[in-house]
Each structure stands twice: as structure tokens, then as C-alpha cells.
Amino acid sequence: MESSIYFMPTTPAQIDLWRTSPSEHQRLEFKEAKNQFDTQKLYRYCVALANEGGGHLVLGIADQPPRKVVGTHAFNNPVDMAAKLFQALGFRVDIEEVAHPDGRVLVFHIPSRPKGTAYHFEGAYLMRSGSELVPMSEDQLRRIFSEGAPDWLSEPAAEGLADQDVVQLLDTQTYFDLLKRPYPSTRDGVIEQLRGERLIVKDAKGWSINRLGALLLARKLEDFASVARKAPRVVVYNGDSKLATKMDHVDAKGYAVGFQDLVNLVMAQLPQNEVIEEAIRKEVKLVPEIVIRELVANALIHQEFSLSGASVMIEVYASRVEISNPGEPMVPTERFIDGYESRNERLADLMRRFGICEEKSSGIDKVIHAAEFYQLQAPIFQTGLRRTIIVIAGAKKFAEMDRDDRIRACYQHCALRYVMRQETNNQSLRERFHLPESRSVVVSQVLAATVQAGLVKTEDKATASRKFARYVPFWS
């Protein structure tokens, strides 16, 4: 039998500390289970928690704040249940009974899966999405099974190079400009900086530029065969369908050295809308630059590089922009606002240091904030076939929105305010939609519809009036 994770005995004080957690998370799950808990469901939760790094499943505590200890009569023979878990799952789960003053609490200490291995139950590789258990995606499984294999970005893109070759292939001037550092007085100083960043490596044949260095700093991506197909592509259409293509452009430069030019190109292709502000007509772009900048950076950083022949796509239509990247997202699309997990950590770190992005999940927050400020339609986050897709469209008045538009905007408003530690209520949502107080009833209807859709919930159940109720995201 494989060894269990080591854990200190759980005290009632530790139980109370867990109860104060703002929300359940990857390593902590509460279940009320006053009288019993389904064994098959237990197996599935243990597999899901193990696949997410291990953690604790706690029975006998209400799973909604304030998470009162209710006690549990489930699994009165923990030793026997631990043996059944091992037999069913193939890994050991330690079960601990805690005598809390308010009732018996059962804690399942679940170990993390081994590196390169994903657990399954009856053929289902499980993970959690909010309060639900869902199958892991093909991308997620591929990523787990490839753990321990050489990192795609660290593999060489060009080998056997002299110092001069490195400087000719990489835009080193822009590299130092982005870092706000003076350009070294000698070529040796340039080479040493790139070597220190592990973008180039010296061996018996000369210098090698790895794929990360090429992707970020290439003067021309086509000079590097293994990364040339990773160049972002901008396609502009006439109208709102793919029937007539106006422009099809593949960006030539590395992601970092060509980023601002790429953003400028996209902005130049965006349709303009006429708006009237204080009796003055003026033309504005379909969406502001901050939105394009954040979404393009997000797509470049979070793409799955192991998918061959696939690149970041920026598609401009008459009334919307679709930005997509290879690979399914590492966090559920409904958690883009509060969740963050970097698929390519070194790439994300360098892009942050270059001032192109912030490596702390604030990019999507900025997009949602801009959508509210400029009265854009709430972005659509989608998972396609081995792709992650974000759709952003221009401004739309409340009266023109359909039910789905309003619910999506309401949920994103609530999630954004929650991570900013601000309240969501009728007034805040009216301000998001630019509606007067006289429209509070219709805003209450939007909130009710979003609750019914399972995306938000009321924070204070004692409040009878919808107008004064406070709301939080479903995952809080």
C-alpha cells in the first residue's frame, strides 16, 4: 500500500479556521452529510481532489457560509472505509474523526496525484468546476501525462550560432528598451544578458537560441522553423461572417519586440462607431485599445505550444472581435475573472517584466472593467475544439440586450466586484447598465434571472427586498 501524506492531528480550532475560508478551493471541500454521504460520490471527490494537488474533504459542516458545524453520522467505521477507498481508487486516503464541540466532523486527507499521473474512477478522470465534478479535458490530461518531459519552450530553435548570428537573429535593442536598461557597450555584454536570462545556451557547437528566446525576440519568426507557425495571425472580414476576407496578415516579429506593432495593426483595422457626447458627434473605435492589448497578451501567454500547426488568431468583424489561442483553458471559463494558472510560467514572467502583461490575473479584470466603463457588451468566454475563444463586441444599450447578454453582464459585474471586495446590489448593477433608479424593478429581474441561472447567489438571505439584497458569485 502506498504511503499516505503526513498530517498533524486536526483540532477543533483547525476546523474553525477552515470554516472562515472565503470560499471552497482546490484543497478544501465542505459537505454537510448530516446522516450519510454517497460512497460513489466520495470516490469521485477523492479522485478530483487528488488530481488537483490533494487536500481535505470535510463532512459535517454546511457548505454555505457561515458554515455551521452540523455533525455527521456518515461512515461510522473510518478504518473500514479507508480500506474500501484504497481498494476502489488505488491510493490511500486517511480518514480522521474530530470531536468538535458542535458535533462529529470527518476529515478525509487526500494526497496529490504523482507527477505525470492522473487518477480516474471507473474510467472518468475527474476535476472540480465550482461545486460540480466534471471530466478533465483532453488538453489537461495531455499536460499531466507530459509532466517530466522536456519543456517545449526550452528546446532549441537554432543551434551552432556565433555571437554575431545571435545579435542578427534577435532584436536585442528592443529587448533592452523593454527592460528599460541601457544597451551594453560591447557585444559580449549583450550575449551575457541573454545567457543570464536562459534565452541562449552555449555548447560545443556554439550558441543555441531556445524557442522561448526566438518567440519573444525574433526579428523574423520565419528564421526559426520550429516556431514560425506560432506567429499570431490577424484576419479582417467584410461584415459579420467569414465569407469575404479583407485582410489576412501573419505577424513577422517575436511576441515581445512586435507586440505594440501588433496591437496598433489591430486597432487600425477596427470599425469606428459614431457616438454623441454633450451634443458633439465623434468617431470611436469599436473597442478601446486596453481591451485589445490585454486579450492579445492573454492569448499569446496562455496558448498550448505542443499543438502543432496552430497559432493565436485575431479575427476582426464589423461588430465584434474574436481572439483565440490553441489549447483549452486551465481554469473554467466562468472563473477567468478570479482564477489564474499560468500555462507557460517563464513566458508569462518575461512578458510581465517587459511591461506587456501583469502576471496576476488582472488582465481579464481590466477587460471587464473597460467593458463596463465604455458600456461594451459583456465579453463571451468560450472553449472550442482545442481552442480558447474570447469574443468582445462594441457598445449596446440595455434595451437592445437579450436575456443572455444581461445575465452574462450581471455575473461578470458581480465577480469583478467580489474580487475587488465591493458589494453587488441593485444600485451597482443599475450603474453598470447606466439606468436610473426608476428602472430598479427591471434590474431586480436581471439579478433574479442570474440567480436562477446559478451564476450568482444572495449574500444575505434575511433581506426580503430584492432592491436591497447583496449578491456574490456562485463560487464564493
Side-chain angles (χ1 to χ4, degrees), residues 169-175 178 211-224 227-234 249-265 296 300 303 311-312 351 356:
L169 288 168
L170 303 182
D171 187 347
T172 55
Q173 180 65 61
T174 304
Y175 167 77
L178 289 171
R211 289 169 175 167
L212 177 61
L215 276 172
L216 287 172
L217 305 178
R219 293 181 187 274
K220 293 189 295 182
L221 285 168
E222 64 186 28
D223 289 337
F224 302 90
V227 303
R229 294 294 300 275
K230 302 301 179 184
R233 182 180 170 195
V234 180
H249 169 85
V250 177
D251 205 48
K253 297 180 181 179
Y255 295 171
V257 298
F259 183 77
Q260 190 56 54
D261 288 343
L262 176 61
V263 171
N264 292 343
L265 173 67
V296 171
L300 293 172
Q303 64 181 299
S311 65
V312 168
M351 293 282 268
I356 293 171

Side-chain angles (χ1 to χ4, degrees), residues 310-326:
S311 65
V312 168
M313 292 280 293
I314 305 160
E315 298 177 279
V316 180
Y317 298 85
S319 63
R320 71 186 188 281
V321 181
E322 296 189 8
I323 299 175
S324 64
N325 61 266

